[in-house]
Amino acid sequence: MADILIVEARFYAHLNDMLIAGARAALEAQGHKVEVLTVPGALEIPGAIALAAEADRYDAFVAIGVVIRGETYHFEIVAGESARAIMALTMDGIAIGNGILTVENEAQALVRADPAQKDKGGEAAKAALALLALQDRFAGR
């Protein structure tokens, strides 16, 4: 049993609820313990994961959030920088499943967030578990 931290940027609560439900179901189905931490936005997710990883209380992480394209360049910054920072942490050996949706509109987000449809929260949780299994494999556990 692993301790998994879901870090969510709670900007679109109804979409996050679906993403978290999918992630939680995937993790708990395999007997893992799950906690949820909320941060203000997607740009804060990697920093929160880095801080939590330093505390050495969690085995893996799932990043959850929704970034919907708006009228300004802000979308590109948030989408790109959050993904870049999560990838950097992953390259440092932290098991992270990236479930931050970057979409054109809410309709796309609904399909991807819904556990009964694309279940991107569940997929992100499974990705985190796959990386955790690789950590265990290469550490000889």
Side-chain angles (χ1 to χ4, degrees), residues 1-5 32-33 56-61 93-96 128 131-132 135-136 141:
M1 178 176 79
D3 290 316
I4 313 293
L5 181 64
H32 300 294
K33 183 179 170 195
D56 204 28
R57 290 179 42 203
Y58 303 98
D59 302 300
F61 303 87
I94 300 172
I96 305 170
L131 288 172
L132 182 59
Q135 279 182 340
D136 289 346
R141 292 181 231 166

Side-chain angles (χ1 to χ4, degrees), residues 5-22:
L5 181 64
I6 297 173
V7 180
E8 67 147 341
R10 194 143 187 94
F11 199 78
Y12 297 99
H14 64 296
L15 297 169
N16 276 30
D17 288 344
M18 289 190 281
L19 288 165
I20 291 170

Side-chain angles (χ1 to χ4, degrees), residues 26-104:
L27 297 167
E28 290 177 349
Q30 294 192 33
H32 300 294
K33 183 179 170 195
V34 179
E35 279 186 58
V36 177
L37 174 70
T38 302
V39 297
L43 289 174
E44 289 75 36
I45 291 173
I49 290 173
L51 292 169
E54 286 179 17
D56 204 28
R57 290 179 42 203
Y58 303 98
D59 302 300
F61 303 87
V62 181
I64 295 291
V66 179
V67 183
I68 299 176
R69 185 179 299 278
E71 297 177 6
T72 69
Y73 185 69
H74 187 66
F75 170 87
E76 283 82 7
I77 293 169
V78 173
E81 289 301 310
S82 62
R84 182 202 56 76
I86 288 170
M87 183 57 66
L89 292 170
T90 302
M91 297 301 292
D92 285 342
I94 300 172
I96 305 170
N98 188 350
I100 300 174
L101 303 181
T102 53
V103 296
E104 297 293 324

